[in-house]
Amino acid sequence: MTQRNRRRRRPHGGIGAKLLLVFGSVFVLLGIGAIAVTSWVLDVAADAPSLSSCKRIAKGGNSVLYAADGTKLGLVRSPVSRQLVSIERVPKSLQLATVAIEDQRFYQHGGVDYEGILRAAVKDLEAGEPAEGGSTITQQLVRNLCIRKPERNLERKIVEAKLAVEYSERHSRKEILGSYFNVASYGTIEGSTAVGVGAASRVFFSKPVWKLKLPEAALLAGLPQAPSEYNPLLNPKAAKARRNQVLRQMRKLGYLGAARAKRAMASGLRVDPSSSYFDHREPYFFDYVEEKLIEEYGVDAVRRGGLQVQTTIDPELQRVGLEAMRSALPYSTDPAAALVSVDPRNGHIRAMVNSSYYDQSQFNLAAQGHRQPGSTFKTFVLTTAVKQGIDPYSTYYTSKPLDLYLPKWGHWTVHTADEGYLGTVNLQQATVASDNTVFAQLDLDVGPEAVAATAHAMGIVSPLDGIPAEGIGGLRIGVSPLEMASAYGTLADGGVRRKPIAITKVVFPNGKVDHPEAEDPQRRLSRPVAWQVTRLLHDNIVEGTGTAAYTNCAGQAGKTGTTDGYTDAWFAGYQPNLATAVWVGYPESNDVSMSSVHGIIVFGGTFPAEIWHSLYSGAGVPCEELSEPNQKIEWAPFFGRYARSSPRDDASLTGSGGGGGDSEPPPGSAAVGGYDPDAYAPGAGQEPMAVPPPPPQSTVGGGKSAGR
């Protein structure tokens, strides 16, 4: 071979060697890279959380409130709508539709579908962008349960795959699919996300999941991949296209026959969104209970869901109470009404009724409304007097206009509603007549601070100032029907005070049972005192201002109340088994007079007493009586600066223009100085009565004489 030929061959041999060297280096680098990638993947997988750290599927749906009879009041509104269902209740069509569109090899792979990942990668390359997800149903499940803040990156996919394989080894396919159906997100409506097929079926179709038809099941199956994009309420065109994609995939996999798939694809969406998923029965009471739950457990625990809450409310008593209100005050221009009924034996709130319409006003007049109580507050003056040993039958006062100068409180004038006065009467007669001037004098004798203390002891929780005007209903803040029913309930139970209870039991998702409002009975009055006051208030309901409330039950007792200007009217009364306070007035203002409603002046003895009567008679409240105790009260023969020992006692009474600047303050008048009587309602406007006997004739509903 010539030297020239050798020169020609050398370059060829050199190029091949170089190429071999280059490719060899590439393969070596690729090998090193593969080792590095493998090592990185193993490191990421090693750092993945263990299955033991995964959160459990919530065992409850939304928190549910139940009435005393076990019927459902409603669900607590939450950012999440949830209703657990077992896999046995999920229709086969929905199971197959979900597998077809989300994970067609679900029953073949071990948690990660490597063929599916390759198939998705090819489709993504063909589309030039991510077009198909490679996550299996098991991967989606562990993402929900185990990854706190999932990010769209490769590390998350590795962690998912590792956990999915482990999860698949420990759970059957049926368990995995059942769990998926309770954690997948199906879309958000009105601020609440439907999590799980149970809630989704209710929200989108207003029916339980087991009643879904094929087209509806296919629609739901297509939502988890992009709940907002495919939401049938927001984007019905995209939702239908997605549903039909699910149906075609079911047909392709042999889950559907061609004819059935064609009929389903031709059907409409059939969406029937539920407007009542979070609707409540007895919404005012429902809100009251929800607030109590939040106070006890915190907002997150309550709205996260899973609580089963047993309440005290009696739906039948609620119905009768609302019917009584709307029958008595049927017109839109009529005043509003509110009532609360409490079982004195345990403190359970049995009724909390507002005549208002909840969609127009969510303010709970029965629990939140604070209005002047009028003469219903005289009960606390009377109770204080009996506690102090003042005999209501032998202690007398003169009913007359009062114009008093009180060194500790200033100038105070008191009158009756119609300027009618009874002369010298005992406390029983003054109670039946609801005489302001007598009770004003009695309040000064027993001490305004003592009256406030009695009211608080019996159940009034609103602030009281211990001033004279409070004894006849002039309060700075006012009271609610709930407070009044609770306080009168103390008398009904023989002097035992029980705080109002709305919740009897709370069951947590883990099965723990709690009683957040356990009974805490406390004796605040002796049985003889409670019985004697009840006897006096029974006279009032039988022959006094409250006759319209009486249902011929010998155990009933009560007191009417009306404020100056007829802006508020009350009846508070009880039997041993039920205490109820009824309020009537215009909630929008304290200045709107009820001087002409249906042609009459509204006193406590008119509409409030009539509503109370209708409640007890309509609900068939059993008649019970408070038994007379064996122990007797030791009465004081004479008491107080303003009292008279008998009708024949001619001793002068500090009256018009009386009081004098240098006189000693009346008993019990210490403590509150600088009282400006003009700053408070005087609590006048109570219903004057003629002195019994004989008992006056009630003319409830009869114009100006109403309530007399």
Side-chain angles (χ1 to χ4, degrees):
M1 181 180 290
T2 65
Q3 187 177 356
R4 182 179 180 182
N5 288 337
R6 283 197 298 271
R7 282 197 211 100
R8 288 176 179 172
R9 286 188 175 185
R10 280 175 192 159
H12 291 292
I15 291 172
K18 290 178 181 178
L19 288 174
L20 181 62
L21 179 62
V22 169
F23 281 111
S25 299
V26 169
F27 284 125
V28 169
L29 290 174
L30 287 174
I32 294 172
I35 293 171
V37 168
T38 302
S39 177
W40 174 74
V41 169
L42 292 174
D43 287 342
V44 171
D47 291 337
S50 66
L51 286 179
S52 61
S53 68
C54 297
K55 64 184 179 183
R56 296 181 179 181
I57 297 174
K59 293 184 179 179
N62 294 94
S63 295
V64 187
L65 271 58
Y66 297 94
D69 63 0
T71 58
K72 188 166 77 173
L73 294 175
L75 306 176
V76 174
R77 182 168 289 277
S78 166
V80 173
S81 308
R82 189 191 303 273
Q83 192 172 81
L84 290 188
V85 293
S86 66
I87 187 66
E88 288 79 13
R89 301 292 276 169
V90 179
K92 197 67 176 178
S93 59
L94 180 52
Q95 296 183 40
L96 294 175
T98 299
V99 169
I101 199 65
E102 290 291 341
D103 188 1
Q104 66 185 53
R105 297 187 64 253
F106 174 69
Y107 291 104
Q108 285 79 47
H109 62 67
V112 177
D113 185 5
Y114 300 103
E115 290 183 21
I117 293 172
L118 181 61
R119 183 175 63 250
V122 171
K123 290 195 175 183
D124 289 351
L125 288 173
E126 291 175 350
E129 61 182 6
E132 181 172 317
S135 293
T136 64
I137 286 174
T138 314
Q139 286 176 270
Q140 294 177 56
L141 176 62
V142 297
R143 183 192 309 156
N144 272 305
L145 297 180
C146 308
I147 302 177
R148 302 303 181 199
K149 295 181 179 179
E151 298 178 1
R152 296 179 64 86
N153 55 35
L154 188 56
E155 287 94 333
R156 189 206 78 192
K157 301 294 288 185
I158 294 170
V159 170
E160 274 182 17
K162 184 242 186 187
L163 292 173
V165 171
E166 292 180 4
Y167 200 92
S168 230
E169 290 172 350
R170 301 185 187 185
H171 297 86
S172 69
R173 295 295 180 271
K174 181 178 180 181
E175 290 172 333
I176 293 170
L177 190 59
S179 296
Y180 173 86
F181 280 133
N182 282 309
V183 301
S185 175
Y186 288 84
T188 300
I189 298 177
E190 296 182 356
S192 186
T193 301
V195 174
V197 292
S201 181
R202 295 282 187 183
V203 167
F204 289 111
F205 299 109
S206 298
K207 65 171 75 172
V209 66
W210 50 88
K211 292 188 177 181
L212 292 178
K213 304 299 182 185
L214 173 62
E216 299 161 344
L219 176 64
L220 287 190
L223 292 178
Q225 189 181 99
S228 297
E229 182 181 346
Y230 299 134
N231 189 315
L233 301 178
L234 304 178
N235 196 347
K237 185 176 180 180
K240 186 170 184 179
R242 175 64 171 172
R243 182 204 66 182
N244 289 350
Q245 180 187 1
V246 173
L247 291 167
R248 284 193 294 271
Q249 182 71 359
M250 293 177 73
R251 171 69 185 94
K252 176 183 175 182
L253 296 175
Y255 296 156
L256 282 181
R260 191 180 179 202
K262 185 176 180 180
R263 286 195 303 272
M265 285 189 285
S267 67
L269 289 178
R270 301 184 180 181
V271 175
D272 180 19
S274 172
S275 60
S276 60
Y277 188 80
F278 285 111
D279 279 0
H280 310 147
R281 293 168 56 208
E282 318 305 346
Y284 291 106
F285 178 75
F286 192 102
D287 288 354
Y288 176 83
V289 172
E290 185 176 347
E291 286 303 312
K292 290 290 182 183
L293 290 169
I294 290 171
E295 287 176 13
E296 183 71 22
Y297 305 116
V299 65
D300 289 342
V302 174
R303 294 185 176 164
R304 185 167 57 241
L307 306 183
Q308 303 289 307
V309 183
Q310 192 73 36
T311 73
T312 60
I313 208 71
D314 181 343
E316 177 62 12
L317 202 61
Q318 287 277 111
R319 183 193 67 77
V320 174
L322 184 59
E323 184 178 295
M325 289 177 181
R326 292 183 175 168
S327 295
L329 300 164
Y331 305 115
S332 60
T333 55
D334 284 341
L339 70 79
V340 174
S341 294
V342 174
D343 187 334
R345 300 165 297 186
N346 51 28
H348 290 186
I349 300 172
R350 307 298 288 166
M352 181 180 284
V353 187
N354 293 264
S355 66
S356 308
Y357 290 91
Y358 186 79
D359 58 350
Q360 297 174 6
S361 173
Q362 288 78 54
F363 186 78
N364 187 347
L365 294 167
Q368 297 173 294
H370 283 76
R371 300 295 289 249
Q372 296 300 316
S375 286
T376 56
F377 234 65
K378 291 175 183 172
T379 294
F380 305 119
V381 182
L382 185 63
T383 302
T384 305
V386 174
K387 281 172 61 181
Q388 294 180 3
I390 300 176
D391 187 343
Y393 300 97
S394 63
T395 303
Y396 293 82
Y397 286 84
T398 298
S399 169
K400 61 182 290 185
L402 299 179
D403 187 359
L404 305 174
Y405 177 76
L406 306 172
K408 293 294 183 181
W409 292 291
H411 186 219
W412 191 30
T413 60
V414 184
H415 58 89
T416 58
D418 66 349
E419 301 294 344
Y421 300 94
L422 308 175
T424 302
V425 293
N426 66 23
L427 293 182
Q428 188 271 348
Q429 293 168 319
T431 300
V432 171
S434 193
D435 189 287
N436 286 340
T437 64
V438 170
F439 271 88
Q441 296 170 75
L442 178 61
D443 183 87
L444 292 171
D445 276 346
V446 300
E449 287 185 307
V451 171
T454 296
H456 277 147
M458 290 173 63
I460 298 300
V461 295
S462 294
L464 298 173
D465 298 313
I467 57 176
E470 287 178 341
I472 53 175
L475 278 60
R476 176 166 53 91
I477 293 177
V479 290
S480 70
L482 176 59
E483 292 175 78
M484 293 299 286
S486 176
Y488 273 61
T490 299
L491 292 169
D493 196 37
V496 176
R497 154 79 168 140
R498 287 180 168 85
K499 292 181 180 179
I501 291 175
I503 303 165
T504 56
K505 183 173 67 174
V506 176
V507 181
F508 288 84
N510 62 2
K512 175 188 173 184
V513 177
D514 190 27
H515 303 278
E517 295 186 308
E519 292 183 32
D520 182 26
Q522 298 179 0
R523 178 159 294 283
R524 298 299 175 84
L525 306 171
S526 69
R527 285 188 60 82
V529 167
W531 183 84
Q532 183 59 62
V533 175
T534 297
R535 182 183 175 191
L536 294 165
L537 296 182
H538 175 72
D539 291 345
N540 185 69
I541 202 173
V542 171
E543 57 180 343
T545 59
T547 54
Y550 191 44
T551 67
N552 295 315
C553 174
Q556 290 176 340
K559 185 72 189 72
T560 55
T562 313
T563 57
D564 263 354
Y566 314 110
T567 57
D568 299 273
W570 293 75
F571 185 83
Y574 57 90
Q575 301 174 178
N577 53 346
L578 195 69
T580 302
V582 181
W583 168 85
V584 172
Y586 288 98
E588 60 271 18
S589 173
N590 291 328
D591 298 324
V592 181
S593 174
M594 296 185 290
S595 58
S596 181
V597 177
H598 303 183
I600 66 169
I601 298 173
V602 179
F603 290 99
T606 60
F607 297 119
E610 293 168 3
I611 291 169
W612 195 96
H613 176 106
S614 296
L615 176 72
Y616 280 66
S617 60
V621 179
C623 179
E624 294 185 10
E625 295 184 50
L626 191 64
S627 59
E628 182 176 359
N630 294 325
Q631 183 184 358
K632 304 299 180 184
I633 298 174
E634 294 185 7
W635 300 114
F638 178 80
F639 188 92
R641 176 176 182 177
Y642 294 93
R644 306 190 67 181
S645 59
S646 74
R648 295 174 297 280
D649 184 1
D650 295 325
S652 62
L653 172 73
T654 301
S656 179
D662 297 325
S663 62
E664 291 295 319
S669 64
V672 182
Y675 165 61
D676 176 7
D678 293 332
Y680 304 95
Q686 323 318 328
E687 308 83 322
M689 292 285 297
V691 180
Q697 296 297 313
S698 173
T699 55
V700 173
K704 291 186 178 180
S705 64
R708 297 183 179 225

